[in-house]
Amino acid sequence: MTDVLAAALAAARLELGPRARIVPDERDGLWRVRISLGAPDHGTTPQWGAAAYDPPFVAGQLRQGVRQLLDDQALLRLRSPLAEPVTGPALLSPTAAGVLAHECFGHTSEADNYLSDGGALGRVLGDRWTPAPLTVRDRPGARPYAGSYTRDDEGTAARTVTLLREGYWTGLLTDRSTRALSGGRSTGHGRGRRGAVVPRCSVLEVAAGRDTAQVLRGRMGDGWLLGTAIGGFSVRGHLILELLWARRVRAGRATREIVGPVAICARKAALAGRITAVGTDVTVHSSPYTCVKAGQEVGSTLISPSLLLDRCVLRPLADVERLLTRSGAPRVPTPSGTGDDSAGAAEPA
């Protein structure tokens, strides 16, 4: 372990105290840190992780992670359960917005999903997804993130693909078997075991908007701040985003009313149509928690600013978990994890 990472870990242990469980490791040059403040329990325990091919980068992320963990811990002391679904505007934190973008635009733009699930989406290439001028790219060559690579598992050089430009759906991620959808040449996004390669997103980046998060919160008026993401996955044309907490906003000011854990369970096209503004606070979340599709796990990195929804429905997480149990869809037990586009049914927004 390098000196800079060792020093950052020592500082984290000192600040978080003896109850914090901090697990660092390294495999194939990927340095990872996982932290849990208490016994792991989905929806009740603050958890965080970082992974990258550069120890100083992980050390820098670690300092941000400690602050997030302490903030989450303080909010959980005030948190109460959400008794029933609530509806209103919502401002997603950068990490929550990153998971939404991954599920809504990343997985949906994987060519095999586009071919199999297009009918469930009600969208095709060239259609507008968002009222906001949202631009989303997948950049596998970006370094030194957990989702980074230079050649995919078919040996094709990876290249950047713009999935959305100014709110319009402009590109797909392909492997060799689906290269006809990208001008006859694979985009270098084929990942997986031999004989089981499929297109996968890697380093998904949402471009910065024009307004600070504070300005967006003021524009929202009465609504909700949506905090740390603890899970997310796609079910055909639907997505589910799980959040550790949501904080009530009144007249643009955050209150002490905290509820959670909560979930958004909505049709992708409907939720994307509610994205009305993009923040300037771009944040990198290079996570050790992998993305799962067709039973295969790959590294994934999310880069996003805050996103403003003019309307969404927040539901008690337990209600969504009961729905998933009935549908047989997979759930993601890891913080900020992401799941695949799997068979099953989800409740519309």
Side-chain angles (χ1 to χ4, degrees), residues 259-282:
V259 297
V262 298
I264 296 173
C265 179
R267 290 184 293 115
K268 292 180 180 181
L271 196 63
R274 297 293 183 179
I275 300 175
T276 57
V278 184
T280 58
D281 52 341
V282 175

Side-chain angles (χ1 to χ4, degrees), residues 106 109-112 125 137-141 149-163 170-191 197-203:
S109 298
E110 293 165 346
D112 58 336
L125 278 177
R137 301 180 181 89
D138 193 85
R139 302 196 301 135
Y149 61 90
T150 56
R151 289 187 174 274
D152 69 7
D153 292 328
E154 294 180 308
T156 304
R159 53 192 173 100
T160 296
V161 178
T162 300
L163 307 180
T170 56
L172 298 175
L173 308 175
T174 64
D175 57 4
R176 290 177 182 172
S177 68
T178 56
R179 63 185 182 271
L181 295 175
S182 54
R185 183 165 66 98
S186 168
T187 64
H189 286 80
R191 305 170 76 186
V197 170
V198 291
R200 305 293 299 272
C201 46
S202 58
V203 179

Side-chain angles (χ1 to χ4, degrees), residues 11-20 22 35 37 65-66 69-70 73:
R13 290 189 177 97
L14 182 64
E15 190 166 2
L16 294 175
R19 293 189 62 188
I22 302 178
I35 304 178
L37 299 186
V66 168
L69 286 163
L70 292 175
Q73 190 175 54

Side-chain angles (χ1 to χ4, degrees), residues 16 19-23 33-50 61-62 64-74 76 79 95 227-231 242-245 261 285 287-289 317 331-337:
L16 294 175
R19 293 189 62 188
R21 184 171 183 265
I22 302 178
V23 181
V33 176
R34 295 179 175 87
I35 304 178
S36 175
L37 299 186
D41 187 2
H42 189 67
T44 63
T45 303
Q47 297 179 69
W48 176 87
Q61 293 282 288
L62 186 56
Q64 299 175 32
V66 168
R67 178 48 48 201
Q68 177 192 309
L69 286 163
L70 292 175
D71 288 347
D72 283 347
Q73 190 175 54
L76 260 60
R79 189 183 71 170
T95 53
T228 303
I230 55 176
E242 301 174 334
L243 303 152
L244 188 63
W245 55 265
H285 187 59
S287 173
Y289 307 108
L317 180 59
R331 76 161 327 283
V332 181
T334 51
S336 297

Side-chain angles (χ1 to χ4, degrees), residues 204-278:
L204 196 74
E205 180 181 47
V206 179
R210 298 178 179 178
D211 299 309
T212 66
Q214 184 176 1
V215 168
L216 294 182
R217 188 175 68 191
R219 184 184 302 174
M220 178 172 60
D222 293 348
W224 296 91
L225 295 178
L226 304 186
T228 303
I230 55 176
F233 48 96
S234 303
V235 185
R236 292 182 179 161
H238 293 75
L239 67 81
I240 296 172
L241 174 62
E242 301 174 334
L243 303 152
L244 188 63
W245 55 265
R247 186 171 190 173
R248 174 79 75 173
V249 174
R250 300 284 190 189
R253 295 179 177 273
T255 70
R256 290 174 64 84
E257 183 182 348
I258 317 292
V259 297
V262 298
I264 296 173
C265 179
R267 290 184 293 115
K268 292 180 180 181
L271 196 63
R274 297 293 183 179
I275 300 175
T276 57
V278 184

Side-chain angles (χ1 to χ4, degrees), residues 56-140:
F57 177 84
V58 176
Q61 293 282 288
L62 186 56
R63 287 186 285 271
Q64 299 175 32
V66 168
R67 178 48 48 201
Q68 177 192 309
L69 286 163
L70 292 175
D71 288 347
D72 283 347
Q73 190 175 54
L75 290 172
L76 260 60
R77 295 190 185 104
L78 301 173
R79 189 183 71 170
S80 59
L82 180 64
E84 59 185 4
V86 294
T87 303
L91 181 61
L92 279 76
S93 68
T95 53
V99 176
L100 185 152
H102 176 95
E103 299 301 337
C104 194
F105 309 121
H107 276 308
T108 305
S109 298
E110 293 165 346
D112 58 336
N113 290 338
Y114 179 77
L115 291 171
S116 63
D117 298 339
L121 293 170
R123 294 287 186 277
V124 295
L125 278 177
D127 285 351
R128 183 156 198 161
W129 274 86
T130 64
L134 190 70
T135 295
V136 181
R137 301 180 181 89
D138 193 85
R139 302 196 301 135

